[in-house]
């Protein structure tokens, strides 16, 4: 894969200053080792009036496949043949972005010891990327780069020029032109190349948020496509994206108040460290769920809609939970859960306590029958309302665990989120968000239909006007002799309505 950076100049401000900025001498062709191959830096032209630096990254396909076997910490993101047949060696992606950050690290930071005045100067720049994956097409390329001061030319690359009727591929040939500081230009590429490709070659952890905010400082907080950039750069991991957006919102607020973000985010008095920093809501939610499960005496637990396995990991830390099963419809989420839990490194005894299953809660599943407890944490709001009866019957009518814990956002609390526009839900994938009254009515109907009792508890700080940020319902199956429960274990009268709705859904 290949990119060029060109600039123009004159006798008073020669174009060869580009060599000082990049810390690479125009008279030399240099090479640098990377984890996946070799990066070359050379100058096809270097004169007072015009200078061009080229970065050529030769990817080693064998290294790509070998590292890809390390549980997703590199290589092609897809299994089987895609490990060997893919665009990684040829198209700009996160591999090239990492090479930019490594080979041009001083330029990215805006440092130049020999000519310290140069990094702060804007220069006429022309950047060319011959083959760039663009999931979203040339229109998205324009929306990402144009707000940053670039004139964008993005020509779609034909699938095969000999067969124009086949149409265009998902790749574009990109040219960016503008007068910017070189450090800003490199940071734009560092972030937006993997965003357009929408697939990273390495495991995305929490430190990626810091990388994004460092590279995006000064431009990302005001970008109109900020949410898309954060979501794609962070591998569509909701928790990381939310963290990044909250920190960007704090940076915008600090800028408007002419203050430092630390001055506004003053949950802890550093001079008098008498108060603890508030726990994140996700941590409070897991603590509340664990408390319910421990009090219930459950040993075999289902995490339905387990996502990336955070709750599964917490359950495995407690020896009283002898069997923990995570279930999710997304194979990708289960793969990431496996990496997070390090299943491949567990002892045989540890591995015997945990399982990850692919499955949909819209259908009954005999594997789920017989467990002590099940958790639906932040799951129901992702289900289309017409399919809720199917989920209800699959969990309460078919699987019938002794205890069911359901958590979901409290829509009334949304007015307390300063960064959430009025009338919007907390996440783009939420099909709805219930008020406390709506959640209570739904839970009461479910309990009545399936012979459970239900109790409610707040999660997070409870506002006297709008309640807590998260609401929790704890369902407990009635005993067979309970006069309010079914008299005959074979009697399905209490679930007939839900079963019919589930079948219809």
């Amino acid at each position: 894969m290949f990119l060029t950076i060109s600039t123009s100049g004159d006798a008073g401000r020669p174009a060869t200053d580009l060599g000082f900025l990049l810390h690479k001498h125009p008279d030399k062709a240099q090479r640098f080792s990377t984890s996946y191959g070799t990066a070359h830096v050379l100058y096809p032209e270097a004169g007072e009036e015009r200078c061009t630096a080229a970065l050529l990254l030769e990817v080693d396909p064998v290294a790509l496949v070998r590292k890809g076997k390390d549980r997703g910490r590199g290589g092609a993101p897809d299994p089987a043949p895609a490990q060997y047949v893919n665009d990684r060696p040829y198209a700009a992606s996160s591999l090239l972005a990492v090479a930019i950050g490594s080979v041009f690290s001083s330029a990215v930071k805006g440092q130049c010891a020999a000519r310290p005045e140069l990094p702060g100067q804007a220069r006429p720049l022309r950047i060319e990327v011959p083959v760039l994956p663009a999931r979203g097409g040339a229109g998205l390329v324009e929306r990402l780069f144009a707000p940053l001061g670039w004139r964008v030319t993005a020509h779609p690359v034909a699938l095969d020029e000999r067969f124009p009727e086949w149409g265009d591929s998902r790749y574009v040939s990109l040219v960016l032109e503008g007068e910017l500081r070189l450090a800003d230009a490199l940071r734009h590429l560092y972030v937006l190349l993997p965003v357009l490709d929408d697939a990273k070659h390495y495991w995305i952890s929490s430190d990626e948020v810091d990388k994004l905010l460092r590279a995006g400082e000064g431009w990302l907080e005001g970008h109109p496509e900020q949410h898309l950039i954060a979501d794609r750069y962070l591998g569509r991991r909701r928790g990381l994206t939310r963290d990044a957006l909250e920190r960007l919102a704090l940076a915008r607020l600090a800028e408007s108040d002419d203050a430092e973000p630390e001055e506004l985010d003053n949950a802890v008095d550093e001079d008098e460290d008498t108060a603890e920093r508030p726990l994140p809501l996700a941590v409070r939610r897991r603590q509340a769920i664990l408390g319910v499960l421990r009090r219930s005496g459950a040993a075999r637990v289902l995490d339905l809609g387990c996502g990336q396995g955070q709750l599964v990991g917490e359950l495995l830390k407690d020896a009283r939970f002898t069997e923990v099963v995570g279930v999710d419809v997304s194979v990708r989420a289960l793969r990431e859960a496996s990496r997070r839990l390090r299943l491949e490194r567990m002892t045989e005894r540890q591995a015997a306590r945990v399982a990850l299953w692919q499955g949909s809660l819209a259908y009954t599943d005999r594997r789920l029958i017989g467990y002590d407890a099940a958790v639906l944490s932040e799951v129901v709001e992702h289900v289309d309302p017409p399919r809720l009866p199917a989920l209800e019957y699959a969990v309460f009518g078919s699987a019938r665990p002794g205890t069911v814990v359901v958590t979901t956002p409290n829509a009334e609390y949304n007015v307390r989120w300063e960064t959430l526009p009025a009338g919007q839900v907390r996440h783009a994938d939420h099909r709805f968000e219930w008020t406390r009254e709506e959640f209570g009515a739904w839970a009461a109907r479910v309990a009545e239909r399936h012979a459970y009792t239900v109790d409610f508890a707040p999660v997070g700080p409870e506002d006297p006007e709008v309640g807590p940020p998260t609401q929790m319902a704890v369902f407990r199956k009635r005993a067979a002799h309970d006069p309010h429960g079914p008299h005959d274990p074979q009697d399905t009268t209490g679930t007939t309505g839900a079963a019919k709705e589930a079948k219809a859904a």
Side-chain angles (χ1 to χ4, degrees), residues 367-382:
R367 296 177 299 174
L368 307 183
I369 297 174
Y371 283 81
D372 301 325
V375 178
L376 290 148
S377 180
E378 310 302 286
V379 170
V380 294
E381 64 272 13
H382 292 272

Side-chain angles (χ1 to χ4, degrees), residues 66-84:
R66 284 176 176 168
K67 291 179 180 294
K69 291 179 180 178
D70 185 20
R71 291 289 180 180
R73 291 187 176 270
D78 302 312
Q83 296 183 65
Y84 303 93

Side-chain angles (χ1 to χ4, degrees), residues 77-258:
D78 302 312
Q83 296 183 65
Y84 303 93
V85 183
N86 57 67
D87 65 357
R88 300 297 89 178
Y90 314 107
S93 66
S94 58
L95 287 162
L96 185 58
V98 169
I100 290 172
S102 174
V103 175
F104 297 142
S105 59
S106 295
V108 170
K109 296 173 185 174
Q111 298 174 348
C112 181
R115 300 279 301 279
E117 77 281 2
L118 290 181
Q121 299 174 0
R123 302 189 66 90
L125 297 174
R126 178 184 172 93
I127 295 176
E128 298 183 53
V129 184
V131 184
L132 172 65
R135 296 184 187 270
L140 179 59
V141 179
E142 175 82 22
R143 298 204 312 272
L144 292 181
F145 283 102
L148 302 175
W150 294 105
R151 296 186 299 279
V152 182
T153 304
H155 291 304
V157 176
L159 281 171
D160 193 319
E161 293 179 353
R162 297 170 298 173
F163 302 97
E165 65 274 14
W166 288 4
D168 295 328
S169 68
R170 70 179 184 91
Y171 303 90
V172 299
S173 175
L174 175 65
V175 177
L176 301 173
E177 295 176 290
E179 188 156 332
L180 294 87
R181 295 184 305 173
L182 180 63
D184 294 335
L186 293 176
R187 286 199 289 264
H188 297 165
L189 294 171
Y190 180 82
V191 172
L192 296 181
L193 292 183
V195 165
L196 284 164
D197 185 32
D198 200 14
K200 282 195 171 183
H201 68 280
Y202 57 86
W203 171 241
I204 299 171
S205 58
S206 57
D207 61 352
E208 289 296 296
V209 176
D210 294 326
K211 291 181 185 178
L212 173 63
L213 298 184
R214 281 197 301 270
E217 185 178 1
W219 62 270
L220 182 55
E221 55 265 26
H223 200 291
E225 297 291 342
Q226 175 193 107
H227 192 287
L228 179 144
I229 292 169
D231 193 39
R232 285 193 177 191
Y233 186 88
L234 297 169
R236 302 181 187 274
R237 296 183 62 184
R238 289 180 296 172
L240 298 183
T241 302
R242 183 169 55 248
D243 181 24
L245 293 175
E246 287 175 354
R247 290 168 64 180
L248 285 168
L250 188 64
R252 285 199 305 273
L253 183 61
E255 184 178 4
S256 64
D257 287 354
D258 194 22

